[in-house]
Amino acid sequence: MKKILFGIMGLLLLGMLWLAFGPAPIDPVAYNPPVSEGFVGGYTQNAGLSNVEVIALGDGMYGPEDVAVDSAGRIYGGLHDGRIIRISPDGVQEVFADTKGRPLGLHFDALGNLIVADSWKGLLSVNTAGEITVLATQSEGLPFAFTDDLDIASDGKIYFSDASSKYTQPDYVLDLLEARGHGRLLVFDPGTGETKTLLDNLYFANGIAVSRGEDFVLVNETGRYRITRYWLKGDKAGTSDIFVDNLPGFPDGVSSNRNGVFWVAMPTPRSEDVDKAHPNPFMKKILSKLPKFMQPAAVKYGLVLAFDESGNLLGSYHDIDGAPTYMVTSVEQVGDTIYLGSLEAPQIVRMKVPLK
């Protein structure tokens, strides 16, 4: 018995020494997050996501991270296994295409092609027959590692994000912990086939949305709890500033209803443990070496925000228990309805626009 106990104690000691001094998968830097104000003021918790319709997906289908709706009213969502599902108005579900990757951002262009930001495959175009064309996989010699979200301007230019040029989608927590800013805001011009980098050193570049007048584009910086604005026109063209800062959660998708409202998806509230770890690179190295089930994870919570084009909060809508709405990663408005996607849930949620 003593030998067994000594053996167990020895293994525990070796494990502790490895956690403390073994190689880590990240090279973190200290980051001092702004103090979270929590759910106060316009962010006060409520039951704004209580009256929703849940569209359950078929067996084995989950993770429609983004949602798009075509001119025939058919709903599209990119799943965890690479399939893009299509749901007809009468509820029939079918596989529209399969990227063999991880489709995230979805938007239709003026020709009816579904433009896809696939975390593994890059920026893709899927025609009405489900045939896939690769549009871009790198910018200025640096390959995409985590193509994430997109929006399309009226001139056909596709603004999109590479969340991280270092870490791939399964390791997004590592990028957030490292806090070194590997993300980029990019633009693809279908007329020339060229991709340009507009902004780099972004902290997990996520959701993308073009403003109503197409004078600026927003990019969510999930790792900084903020939304950054890049100016496309006017005296500020080519410069950037902060649109909204110190959000109460991790901003994921952002979309424009092209009528002055930006919808922001918040998959999970801020984590006190993560905020406490950020100033301490040594602690973040330890966290990065833990098994994934022991690393920081999202809590089950539903949250959607609405802002005007000046960054003023118009409303916040919550599902405090995360039942049925949780891990919201995208919000798309079509007419008087908003569609909510999720990185994890086996469903698409829709509801009437809650703004008065």
Side-chain angles (χ1 to χ4, degrees), residues 155-231:
D155 62 2
K157 289 183 179 178
I158 302 168
Y159 296 89
F160 66 107
S161 59
D162 181 25
S164 174
S165 60
K166 182 176 180 179
Y167 296 99
T168 56
Q169 194 272 333
D171 292 323
Y172 68 90
V173 172
L174 299 183
D175 188 276
L176 296 173
L177 288 174
E178 186 168 284
R180 282 192 176 272
H182 301 297
R184 292 177 288 173
L185 169 64
L186 308 144
V187 61
F188 174 80
D189 186 340
T192 64
E194 294 180 344
T195 302
K196 293 182 180 179
T197 300
L198 302 178
L199 284 176
D200 56 11
N201 299 315
L202 298 176
Y203 295 90
F204 202 86
N206 208 325
I208 301 289
V210 176
S211 65
R212 171 172 47 182
E214 300 189 350
D215 51 340
F216 65 86
V217 58
L218 298 183
V219 53
N220 282 352
E221 289 191 84
T222 306
R224 284 294 189 265
Y225 314 121
R226 70 189 182 196
I227 305 173
T228 291
R229 172 173 48 194
Y230 180 84
W231 291 94

Side-chain angles (χ1 to χ4, degrees), residues 32 35 41 49 56 67 81 106 140 155 171 310 321 331 343 351:
N32 293 293
V35 176
L49 295 181
V67 178
D81 58 4
L106 307 176
E140 298 171 20
D155 62 2
D171 292 323
S310 296
D321 299 320
V331 189
L343 185 67
M351 63 182 292

Side-chain angles (χ1 to χ4, degrees), residues 85-149:
I85 191 174
R86 179 166 64 189
I87 306 172
S88 65
D90 60 4
V92 175
Q93 300 183 17
E94 61 180 341
V95 175
F96 168 65
D98 189 347
T99 69
K100 308 297 183 182
R102 186 25 168 137
L104 298 175
L106 307 176
H107 271 283
F108 283 99
D109 69 11
L111 300 175
N113 301 304
L114 182 62
I115 308 302
V116 180
D118 187 291
S119 66
W120 294 103
K121 302 297 184 176
L123 188 67
L124 311 176
S125 176
V126 188
N127 67 17
T128 55
E131 299 166 336
I132 299 170
T133 300
V134 178
L135 301 179
T137 58
Q138 60 86 31
S139 176
E140 298 171 20
L142 184 61
F144 312 147
F146 196 154
T147 325
D148 200 315
D149 196 24

Side-chain angles (χ1 to χ4, degrees), residues 271-355:
S271 165
E272 184 178 354
D273 291 339
V274 171
D275 279 358
K276 286 180 177 179
H278 263 309
N280 188 333
F282 177 74
M283 178 58 67
K284 293 199 288 185
K285 284 185 177 182
I286 291 177
L287 287 174
S288 73
K289 287 184 279 187
L290 294 173
K292 284 194 175 183
F293 74 90
M294 297 178 67
Q295 290 178 0
V299 299
K300 201 168 186 180
Y301 196 100
L303 179 57
V304 169
L305 308 177
F307 293 93
D308 67 18
E309 292 205 334
S310 296
N312 300 307
L313 182 68
L314 300 175
S316 68
Y317 310 93
H318 301 245
D319 186 333
I320 298 171
D321 299 320
T325 308
Y326 65 96
M327 193 65 173
V328 181
T329 50
S330 65
V331 189
E332 297 293 336
Q333 181 176 343
V334 180
D336 64 352
T337 301
I338 58 173
Y339 295 80
L340 311 183
S342 172
L343 185 67
E344 296 180 354
Q347 63 194 29
I348 292 170
V349 171
R350 66 182 170 191
M351 63 182 292
K352 294 299 180 183
V353 171
L355 287 172

